[in-house]
Amino acid sequence: MPASTPVSTVEPDTSGRNTAEPATAQPDSPEVELSYDATVPRSLVHRASIAEVFVTDSARTGEDTFVVAAQLPRGHLIGENSPLYDFTLLVEVVRQAGVLIAHRHLEVNLESVFVFRNLRLRTVAFEPLRIGRRPADLRVTVDVRARRNRAGRVQGFTFTGDVLVDGRPALTGEGGLLILSRAAYRTLRGRRRVPDHPGFLLPRFTAAEPAAVGRRDARNVFVTHPVAEGEEGSYSAQLVVDTGHPHVFDHPLDHVPGHLQMEAARQLAVASVARRHGVDPYSLVVASITTDFTDYAELDRITRLRASVENFRWDEELGTFVTAVPVEAVQETTVTTAMRLEVAQWV
């Protein structure tokens, strides 16, 4: 089945050929210097707004290894003045790094569509993620295993990598994605109704109070108030979709992006852990997330999120208590996405 797509496409700034100047190949060295002076062209990371581009440079460090530079703003709509750089923005940096590598170094056409199949991102230390007095410089090291067709065109790849913040290890991750031509994607998705279709109706729900899900800005709440299910530690909520949100819907989409599903899962997990264990939602942060995108989540269908909170355990590496929270996104009887989050009490 096709996967949900955290990576989406916008109309490229060119005729469709990959006309981006390739970065100069570098010798095998993880210490290659990168620039943080300006962001890359937005078409190289599939964003419409310049303000939503975070990566600044990249280089090839080996046959299958790359390094990408990025800088996160200290103040962002999603960040909400948190003491830590927001996990959702860190996921976006990883996404942009993968897309940039594909276009700049693997000669993937700018009109291609990226379909994430799975992603695992784990925090190895919280202290490097603390927001300081200047924007942090991020360095993403990536090892790519590309899959090509007989003509040599990249059809997808798996990757592993690490994120360093101001030179200190902060996250590690891995994932896999498919790459489709725009024509193939249109054939695959051509029968779905999109927001500008005359018969399109977007499900409407009232979002939870921001404090219940560890948010401060009502614009960033994407779930209804969680309700307890039959089993102890089980909670559910409906997905609240705002297609006008400037970060999650940076450009029009024909599906619920995986980016939104992961943030909604984070909110339900935080609210559920806070209720079951009696802790302050604002003291909870994401320690890790693992996702398996098995089907598209359609915008015109109701998406129900189901969570199950496990007991706290001590995490030696992070030096704090964490609890696992499996979360499913369900449309009708179909599980579109299976996720597993670990929530830590840190702040």
Side-chain angles (χ1 to χ4, degrees):
M1 296 297 291
S4 292
T5 51
V7 177
S8 324
T9 57
V10 293
E11 292 299 323
D13 295 336
T14 70
S15 61
R17 287 187 304 113
N18 189 353
T19 57
E21 288 293 328
T24 303
Q26 300 290 337
D28 253 340
S29 171
E31 302 304 321
V32 61
E33 290 189 9
L34 297 172
S35 172
Y36 293 88
D37 289 340
T39 57
V40 302
R42 56 198 172 100
S43 62
L44 291 180
V45 292
H46 298 183
R47 294 304 262 176
S49 171
I50 296 172
E52 294 296 331
V53 180
F54 304 132
V55 297
T56 62
D57 197 8
S58 67
R60 192 172 208 138
T61 58
E63 183 177 354
D64 300 310
T65 57
F66 308 86
V67 61
V68 178
Q71 188 182 84
L72 283 178
R74 291 185 297 166
H76 188 278
L77 172 62
I78 288 290
E80 298 185 338
N81 298 317
S82 167
L84 299 179
Y85 284 105
D86 195 272
F87 197 84
T88 294
L89 293 182
L90 293 164
V91 170
E92 175 62 14
V93 167
V94 172
R95 184 198 73 81
Q96 290 187 17
V99 178
L100 178 64
I101 288 170
H103 289 316
R104 178 175 278 183
H105 300 283
L106 302 180
E107 300 181 345
V108 172
N109 190 289
L110 282 174
E111 284 198 333
S112 299
V113 180
F114 290 67
V115 181
F116 260 116
R117 300 308 303 267
N118 53 76
L119 175 68
R120 182 185 69 86
L121 193 62
R122 181 172 62 88
T123 304
V124 297
F126 285 117
E127 194 58 36
L129 298 175
R130 188 187 293 275
I131 299 175
R133 295 185 177 181
R134 53 169 296 279
D137 291 338
L138 278 66
R139 189 180 182 96
V140 186
T141 59
V142 185
D143 190 329
V144 169
R145 292 292 182 267
R147 185 178 69 258
R148 300 176 182 270
N149 61 13
R150 292 182 179 179
R153 184 176 69 84
V154 175
Q155 295 182 307
F157 57 79
T158 58
F159 64 90
T160 58
D162 300 292
V163 179
L164 280 71
V165 179
D166 286 333
R168 296 184 293 171
L171 302 110
T172 185
E174 61 185 70
L177 55 83
L178 303 177
I179 300 175
L180 303 175
S181 69
R182 188 172 292 272
Y185 184 77
R186 285 172 176 164
T187 299
L188 181 67
R189 300 287 294 155
R191 296 183 180 181
R192 289 306 309 163
R193 287 184 293 186
V194 293
D196 59 358
H197 189 280
F200 180 87
L201 290 175
L202 185 69
R204 301 289 182 183
F205 295 101
T206 301
E209 290 296 320
V213 298
R215 285 300 191 189
R216 291 179 170 82
D217 191 330
R219 293 175 297 176
N220 293 331
V221 180
F222 303 119
V223 296
T224 59
H225 187 76
V227 296
E229 296 286 325
E231 297 182 10
E232 183 181 3
S234 297
Y235 300 88
S236 68
Q238 309 290 357
L239 182 69
V240 177
V241 178
D242 175 11
T243 56
H245 194 280
H247 174 70
V248 178
F249 286 90
D250 166 76
H251 51 276
L253 297 169
D254 67 352
H255 60 277
V256 179
H259 200 58
L260 173 55
Q261 294 180 63
M262 285 188 282
E263 170 58 19
R266 186 203 69 80
Q267 293 180 12
L268 177 57
V270 164
S272 301
V273 171
R275 286 179 60 178
R276 183 178 185 192
H277 295 297
V279 297
D280 183 356
Y282 291 119
S283 73
L284 300 173
V285 293
V286 174
S288 71
I289 187 169
T290 301
T291 64
D292 185 14
F293 299 102
T294 55
D295 205 348
Y296 286 98
E298 306 297 351
L299 286 167
D300 58 350
R301 294 179 183 171
I302 295 172
T303 303
R304 182 169 174 253
L305 298 168
R306 302 185 304 212
S308 179
V309 180
E310 299 179 6
N311 293 325
F312 272 114
R313 64 173 180 83
W314 180 256
D315 187 295
E316 198 68 39
E317 183 177 26
L318 294 176
T320 187
F321 287 98
V322 302
T323 181
V325 187
V327 179
E328 290 181 332
V330 183
Q331 289 194 331
E332 297 177 350
T333 60
T334 301
V335 176
T336 64
T337 309
M339 295 167 274
R340 181 180 177 86
L341 295 88
E342 286 188 319
V343 176
Q345 191 172 22
W346 186 84
V347 181

